[in-house]
Amino acid sequence: MSEKIAVIGAGSWGTALAGVLADNNHDVRLWTRREEQATEINQNRTNHKYLPGFELPAAIQASADLEYCINGADYILLVVPTKAVREMIHQIRTFVHKNTVLIHASKGIEPGTSKRISEMMEEELLETKAKATVVLSGPSHAEEVCERQPTTVTVSSHIMEAAEDVQELFMNNQFRVYTNQDLIGVELGGALKNIIALGIGMTDGLGYGDNAKAALMTRGLAEIARLGVKLGANPLTFTGLSGLGDLIVTCISQHSRNWRAGYKLGSGNDLQTVLEEMGMVVEGVRTTKAVYELANDIDVDMPITTALYDVLFENKKPEVAVQQLMGRVRKHEVENMSLLLGTDFE
């Protein structure tokens, strides 16, 4: 059944997801801040700044008129940077009603509050009551989704009926969707892997090899699980698509803007220069700050996050941060693996 769906955010990921929904014969309205971008999408079927070289489905209707895009939509998909979430929810909440399902596909944690995106959305909705909030996350590069390459993601919500409805919206032969009841774990996995991807890119920029990459990914997963369990997530979520799966794809692919930013840092560039050259939001930078603050507040040991925080915000040289990680006191590995297995080891 065709549904009217408003997609808020015409960056690479928002445009790619709009394409999936259009392929599934839904009425897709894609909102962008810039009128010239909407004109390009509607007339040329391209989004050159964010997805150069791809032709977009004709069913996508782009507009800079937020009311046009949202009015009458029972599904609103938010795909904006974390720093823009509160502003956008504030703008759209007058259009949200009891049958509205809010979906978000952004990945980050808010510095200062340590809020997940769904928590930020619920705060900004105030007394407005949507039917449900659903998160979509998993190992998925926009470029490969636009090429209709096989991609698998997860959706989660406190209301599983809504998650299953969203699963049905997106599911097709190229885009497979699973459901997961662990909203906290799905959101945290998607956000925290960006920190580790920055670190992997940084070690690649320093010229380190696969040994260092494997170590950072493995210890990074343990670090993500440690914080997640403390916050109430199911440890097994971090072995799934929004945990290990998303970690792998973000750390090994040059499509990843977090990897690319880390690579530039490891190659000797300062943070401001890197962000200016990227031209797109690097969520891992803000998330590193937010998670560093949160880990200190709730007393969770996150050495990789701490090392990256020192590089990003305390001007520590990347090679010094790596040396300090390698020189930490001796630890047991099994105690961290127990978090993922959900088992206590003596």
Side-chain angles (χ1 to χ4, degrees):
M1 183 176 66
S2 178
E3 301 281 0
K4 180 177 178 182
I5 305 166
V7 180
I8 310 302
S12 57
W13 190 217
T15 304
L17 289 175
V20 174
L21 294 167
D23 284 348
N24 290 351
N25 299 313
H26 296 299
D27 178 1
V28 182
R29 310 287 175 88
L30 177 62
W31 178 82
T32 170
R33 291 184 185 276
R34 297 185 294 111
E35 187 68 53
E36 59 270 26
Q37 187 184 21
T39 300
E40 179 198 348
I41 292 171
N42 292 332
Q43 294 184 357
N44 302 334
R45 313 314 309 171
T46 60
N47 188 351
H48 183 74
K49 179 178 180 180
Y50 295 103
L51 287 169
F54 291 102
E55 182 177 349
L56 305 179
I60 297 175
Q61 301 176 62
S63 176
D65 184 336
L66 190 59
E67 183 173 356
Y68 165 77
C69 291
I70 292 179
N71 197 23
D74 285 331
Y75 294 90
I76 300 174
L77 171 60
L78 195 70
V79 198
V80 298
T82 306
K83 65 180 181 181
V85 168
R86 290 190 183 274
E87 175 197 345
M88 288 311 309
I89 294 297
H90 183 79
Q91 289 188 49
I92 71 174
R93 67 187 180 198
T94 56
F95 301 98
V96 174
H97 51 78
K98 66 179 181 179
N99 292 320
T100 304
V101 175
L102 291 169
I103 313 163
H104 86 77
S106 303
K107 299 174 180 178
I109 304 291
E110 186 177 36
T113 69
S114 303
K115 299 286 187 182
R116 292 176 284 108
I117 292 174
S118 64
E119 293 176 309
M120 296 162 59
M121 292 168 67
E122 289 164 5
E123 281 188 355
E124 290 302 315
L125 284 171
L126 298 177
E127 299 302 317
T128 305
K129 296 296 182 183
K131 179 178 179 180
T133 299
V134 180
V135 55
L136 183 151
S137 188
S140 46
H141 286 309
E143 295 84 355
E144 294 185 7
V145 171
C146 287
E147 291 171 348
R148 295 172 177 79
Q149 293 191 23
T151 301
T152 307
V153 299
T154 296
V155 290
S156 183
S157 175
H158 292 311
I159 301 174
M160 286 309 296
E161 180 183 356
E164 290 166 358
D165 288 343
V166 172
Q167 179 185 40
E168 182 69 20
L169 285 181
F170 282 94
M171 191 91 158
N172 62 37
N173 289 338
Q174 294 82 40
F175 199 82
R176 182 168 178 80
V177 186
Y178 288 87
T179 58
N180 186 321
Q181 294 182 325
D182 181 20
L183 178 64
I184 296 174
V186 169
E187 282 192 297
L188 287 176
L192 271 62
K193 54 86 183 180
N194 287 330
I195 302 174
I196 308 305
L198 276 172
I200 294 288
M202 195 173 72
T203 59
D204 284 343
L206 287 166
Y208 298 147
D210 293 338
N211 292 353
K213 186 176 296 187
L216 265 183
M217 289 177 67
T218 306
R219 301 310 304 163
L221 182 61
E223 189 164 305
I224 291 169
R226 193 181 305 128
L227 181 68
V229 169
K230 181 80 170 186
L231 295 175
N234 182 338
L236 293 179
T237 295
F238 301 112
T239 67
L241 290 168
S242 59
L244 180 60
D246 210 356
L247 180 68
I248 291 171
V249 80
T250 311
C251 288
I252 68 172
S253 174
Q254 294 184 23
H255 286 312
S256 165
R257 67 186 69 169
N258 289 282
W259 180 90
R260 296 202 309 270
Y263 185 87
K264 289 174 180 290
L265 288 167
S267 300
N269 296 282
D270 64 89
L271 179 60
Q272 189 59 41
T273 300
V274 169
L275 296 179
E276 290 173 358
E277 289 180 352
M278 293 292 294
M280 292 186 284
V281 173
V282 181
E283 286 284 12
V285 174
R286 280 170 53 87
T287 300
T288 298
K289 186 175 190 297
V291 173
Y292 173 81
E293 294 168 349
L294 175 59
N296 284 336
D297 287 344
I298 63 176
D299 194 27
V300 174
D301 185 30
M302 301 191 73
I304 297 173
T305 300
T306 299
L308 281 166
Y309 177 88
D310 289 342
V311 171
L312 295 172
F313 302 106
E314 299 294 341
N315 296 316
K316 182 174 286 185
K317 291 187 177 299
E319 56 270 28
V320 174
V322 172
Q323 290 168 3
Q324 290 179 348
L325 277 174
M326 294 298 291
R328 295 175 68 239
V329 297
R330 293 177 297 171
K331 296 281 187 178
H332 294 292
E333 183 180 30
V334 173
E335 64 187 6
N336 291 292
M337 292 301 100
S338 68
L339 292 174
L340 299 178
L341 296 171
T343 306
D344 290 326
F345 287 90
E346 296 297 334

